[in-house]
Amino acid sequence: MRRRLWAEALLAVAALAAGGPVAAARPDARALYAAHCARCHGADRLGGMGPALVPGTLGRLTPERAARVIRDGRPLTQMPAFGGRLSEAEIAALAAYVFTPPDRPPRWGLEAIRASHRLLARPGELPTRPVHGADPMNLFVVVELGDHHVTVLDGDRFEPITRFPTHRALHGGPKFSPDGRFVYFASRDGWISKYDLWGLRYVAEVRAGINTRNLAVSHDGRYVAVGNYLPHTLVILSAADLRPLRVIPAREAPGRASRVSAVYTAPPRGSFVAALKDVPEMWEIPYVADAPPVFRGPMHDWRPDSGEASPVTEGPFPVRRIPLDGVLDDFFFDPDYRFVIGAAREGGARVISLVTGAEVARLPIEGLPHLGSGISWVREGRRVLATPNLRRGAISVIDMDRWQVIAEIPTLGPGFFLRSHARSPYVWADVFFGPHRDAMHVIDKRTLKIVRTLRPAPGKTSAHVEFTRDGRYALVSIWDMDGALVIYDARTLEEIRRIPMRKPSGKYNVWNKTHYEEGTSH
Ligand code: DHE
């Protein structure tokens, strides 16, 4: 709403700057867009070389910031500065225009997805062994958000092996094929890419949505699932070459459409689990049809009204609908994938049994727990879950047998990510927001006390940690254009190396990710 008011205000400014009166003097934003923007952002505003420019894809952009980008350009991107070429009124009109809905609602169905699909290497062109000498299971894939690149790092020598461009704004963790050879990326504007870590080259890409959340790879390596905000769809691709197989409209049983918040793989269940943003349902989509009975066990608990008769569930990849009391978002799963813990819109967290679909507990956690970044470990014989909080300087620790909050660890501010490793005695917790965003807490997993607060680059955000395969070293990102990856000895907490990078966000160790290492994101 505020953004619409801003857009309207900008239009009024545009008209006034053009000398008013408002209606007569307003610059023709549509014509300006066609002349100056369509070539990169698409005539339909759904993106091209540049991002899509329709409401629902603009993230945290405000009309005011959009005007600034049009005027000054964006450093390190193809976006030029139009300040010298367009008047202030024209810039304001264009900035407002991108916040107006397009004439026809944007569509991105199977045909459009199919048309975007590109094979970039054929199987025969890929090498039969890695072209580099590093341990292929101890590589790190480092996303550098600053200039939209990925660096592949040798996890033994801490030396970059290669660095390559990506689609803009990769988000969510890249996901790996079960053997760790291939990595899949999702960009916020819908591009899914498959990259070969042996051959060090792209294999295929496809645009699965206009505004995409994340992707999941099935544990058998056959399918990729993509969750979209725009359009409201869940897309299933073949993991081999990213060919689209099925587009599932995200709609609750009575028919209301919903954004898909995220999609996850539940390996022991042979299914994808999807979180829906706008309706009180959670979805499970089995992808293993002929699984042995023991594997399929939990599926027998499907409710009779599981939704198989509903139009969205026909064909392969049927949808099991799990009705909820309210919208749940941002999921954490127990190691056996029997339970999902989700953040409730009205506050706190809910525990849902994936087996029965029933709610088994409510966790009174103030603020906004960031469960997607939660990790678990065994403490004094009981499994505990720790979650950072996006609104509060505290980490909540939950007993997963009793589903009770057993501790709140005060931190220097709200945090985003938590990480550990089975062989590490510590949890690493960033302070992503506020004056202490350069701090990194190291917490003892047994005593739940902060044992050290590191400040790897004073004044710059330090966040997101990943361990080497053996847990000996911890890699920390400095989220700055003039940033770095800082490598610590995970026991002594001494810095051992610093590798300059451009706003590195997440980094992912092939072994830890493919082996669902305790302490890393799944
Ligand atoms: Fe993320 C993972 C949602 C903002 C960086 N983020 C995820 C996942 C979800 C999610 C559901 C897990 C998906 C997966 O890995 O497959 N993120 C959201 C949001 O809803 C939120 C708060 C708002 C939004 O704009 O989408 C959000 N996220 C951000 C950021 O602003 C971050 C810090 C910078 C960015 O890239 O935009 C950010 N999110 C990340 C990273 C991961 C992630 C680095 C992967 C973490 C991992 O270790 O796996």
Side-chain angles (χ1 to χ4, degrees):
M1 180 65 180
R2 258 179 61 199
R3 288 203 302 201
R4 218 181 58 218
L5 290 175
W6 257 107
E8 280 163 12
L10 271 179
L11 277 174
V13 169
L16 286 173
V22 170
R26 187 173 285 178
D28 184 348
R30 198 180 290 262
L32 287 169
Y33 180 89
H36 300 286
C37 319
R39 194 162 57 88
C40 293
H41 295 280
D44 51 8
R45 292 199 273 148
L46 297 188
M49 194 168 74
L53 294 175
V54 288
T57 65
L58 301 170
R60 280 160 271 183
L61 192 72
T62 58
E64 195 189 23
R65 276 170 64 191
R68 207 178 312 134
V69 173
I70 298 168
R71 187 184 308 110
D72 304 333
R74 249 195 219 283
L76 296 170
T77 71
Q78 306 287 320
M79 177 69 192
F82 286 92
R85 281 185 269 167
L86 298 178
S87 67
E88 276 305 306
E90 288 170 326
I91 289 172
L94 269 177
Y97 181 59
V98 302
F99 288 87
T100 59
D103 299 337
R104 273 179 293 130
R107 295 170 68 90
W108 200 259
L110 196 57
E111 282 317 307
I113 299 173
R114 230 175 239 148
S116 72
H117 178 239
R118 289 206 299 149
L119 268 183
L120 304 169
R122 302 198 174 273
E125 292 170 4
L126 298 180
T128 52
R129 58 171 61 95
V131 296
H132 52 80
D135 173 1
M137 295 309 283
N138 195 25
L139 298 177
F140 285 87
V141 169
V142 189
V143 175
E144 290 183 70
L145 272 188
D147 60 355
H148 312 293
H149 275 67
V150 157
T151 290
V152 179
L153 191 73
D154 177 337
D156 293 315
R157 296 181 193 87
F158 299 125
E159 277 164 11
I161 294 173
T162 186
R163 187 172 193 272
F164 56 90
T166 66
H167 282 282
R168 57 180 292 287
L170 296 188
H171 178 242
K175 303 289 153 53
F176 295 85
S177 58
D179 61 1
R181 171 169 184 172
F182 298 102
V183 56
Y184 299 83
F185 302 105
S187 75
R188 283 194 186 258
D189 57 1
W191 283 97
I192 308 300
S193 314
K194 177 176 180 177
Y195 184 87
D196 177 18
L197 290 167
W198 286 14
L200 304 181
R201 58 181 290 180
Y202 279 113
V203 177
E205 65 177 19
V206 69
R207 191 173 186 193
I210 298 169
N211 181 354
T212 287
R213 300 296 294 160
N214 78 323
L215 66 80
V217 176
S218 64
H219 80 288
D220 58 7
R222 292 167 65 196
Y223 305 111
V224 172
V226 182
N228 289 323
Y229 263 8
L230 193 69
H232 298 336
T233 53
L234 193 77
V235 177
I236 311 285
L237 310 170
S238 153
D241 58 6
L242 299 185
R243 250 178 322 112
L245 301 177
R246 185 150 163 74
V247 176
I248 306 173
R251 211 175 289 139
E252 70 170 342
R256 237 180 337 153
S258 171
R259 293 169 289 173
V260 177
S261 282
V263 58
Y264 310 84
T265 308
R269 302 177 62 80
S271 62
F272 293 120
V273 176
L276 303 185
K277 188 86 179 169
D278 306 306
V279 299
E281 274 184 15
M282 176 169 72
W283 282 8
E284 182 171 30
I285 300 124
Y287 51 74
V288 180
D290 52 354
V294 60
F295 201 66
R296 275 183 60 82
M299 298 295 177
H300 298 311
D301 291 308
W302 278 32
R303 294 171 179 210
D305 62 345
S306 68
E308 272 166 318
S310 118
V312 301
T313 64
E314 284 166 13
F317 309 107
V319 175
R320 170 198 181 193
R321 297 167 181 280
I322 301 177
L324 303 170
D325 252 10
V327 169
L328 284 190
D329 216 355
D330 191 22
F331 289 172
F332 177 86
F333 296 84
D334 75 317
D336 299 330
Y337 286 81
R338 288 169 53 229
F339 299 102
V340 182
I341 303 98
R345 185 154 296 168
E346 55 276 21
R350 306 273 157 89
V351 184
I352 309 290
S353 161
L354 261 180
V355 178
T356 64
E359 180 180 308
V360 298
R362 290 186 175 207
L363 301 168
I365 303 176
E366 280 171 38
L368 184 60
H370 194 207
L371 289 155
S373 289
I375 57 168
S376 83
W377 70 92
V378 175
R379 178 177 176 266
E380 295 169 359
R382 307 180 80 89
R383 183 158 290 278
V384 294
L385 149 68
T387 172
N389 200 302
L390 294 171
R391 298 222 184 105
R392 222 156 46 90
I395 290 167
S396 308
V397 183
I398 295 143
D399 179 323
M400 292 177 72
D401 294 330
R402 298 191 196 132
W403 295 119
Q404 278 172 2
V405 180
I406 55 166
E408 292 266 319
I409 307 169
T411 60
L412 284 172
F416 215 96
F417 303 106
L418 282 190
R419 262 316 195 265
S420 189
H421 188 282
R423 295 197 197 161
S424 169
Y426 304 127
V427 172
W428 294 57
D430 54 51
V431 180
F432 202 79
F433 306 96
H436 296 283
R437 58 189 207 290
D438 54 359
M440 175 70 67
H441 294 305
V442 181
I443 300 166
D444 187 311
K445 279 157 103 171
R446 206 172 40 81
T447 62
L448 306 182
K449 298 269 181 285
I450 295 174
V451 293
R452 184 93 60 92
T453 296
L454 305 164
R455 294 197 191 253
K460 294 182 178 177
T461 304
S462 73
H464 197 279
V465 176
E466 176 69 303
F467 286 76
T468 45
R469 168 182 175 162
D470 58 10
R472 280 188 63 193
Y473 300 99
L475 284 63
V476 178
S477 294
I478 306 300
W479 290 55
D480 194 89
M481 283 310 276
D482 186 14
L485 216 58
V486 184
I487 300 162
Y488 287 91
D489 182 307
R491 268 193 183 275
T492 64
L493 308 182
E494 294 304 315
E495 178 179 333
I496 62 146
R497 176 88 56 96
R498 192 170 280 239
I499 306 171
M501 292 203 182
R502 290 202 168 270
K503 200 175 179 188
S505 55
K507 64 212 78 67
Y508 310 86
N509 179 275
V510 174
W511 177 272
N512 293 345
K513 292 287 281 184
T514 52
H515 287 73
Y516 288 73
E517 165 59 43
E518 187 181 270
T520 194
S521 63
H522 292 173

